[in-house]
Amino acid sequence: MCLGIPGQIVAVADADAMLCTVDVSGVRRAVDVACVAAPGRPLDELVGAWVLVHVGFAMSVIDEDEAAATLKVLTEIGEAEAEMAALRLGLDQNATI
């Protein structure tokens, strides 16, 4: 099963390509933020934001409490481990998640 997993945007990786570096439980990957970026606004404004990441795209901005609650539920049902393993094994450092 493929789920959205919470991550925090920590840097702009490539503004022209709409990519930001997202930290997902210690694993950092480039993620497409076109779906959550405000039109005409700099991507730097997203640094620090929490997002739900699914197949390489930030699908929505969430608050830190929602991120923590989602990670807790995913861990409890065993899905967080599978998602993190896929991130670690399936992608290199510069790939998108």
Side-chain angles (χ1 to χ4, degrees), residues 20-31:
C20 284
T21 301
V22 175
D23 184 299
V24 178
S25 296
V27 178
R28 291 185 176 202
R29 297 287 184 250
V31 171

Side-chain angles (χ1 to χ4, degrees), residues 7-95:
Q8 187 173 33
I9 296 174
V10 296
V12 175
D14 183 342
D16 293 333
M18 300 292 287
L19 296 174
C20 284
T21 301
V22 175
D23 184 299
V24 178
S25 296
V27 178
R28 291 185 176 202
R29 297 287 184 250
V31 171
D32 187 309
V33 295
C35 293
V36 298
R41 305 292 300 179
L43 292 184
D44 290 338
E45 292 180 354
L46 289 172
V47 174
W50 285 87
V51 292
L52 268 182
V53 178
H54 178 70
V55 294
F57 294 88
M59 301 307 295
S60 62
V61 175
I62 59 175
D63 64 37
E64 188 172 1
D65 291 337
E66 184 177 355
T70 301
L71 283 170
K72 181 177 184 237
V73 169
L74 290 173
T75 299
E76 288 172 355
I77 64 172
E79 289 297 324
E81 309 313 321
E83 292 296 316
M84 293 308 300
L87 289 174
R88 287 188 184 99
L89 298 174
L91 301 171
D92 67 21
Q93 184 66 23
N94 296 314

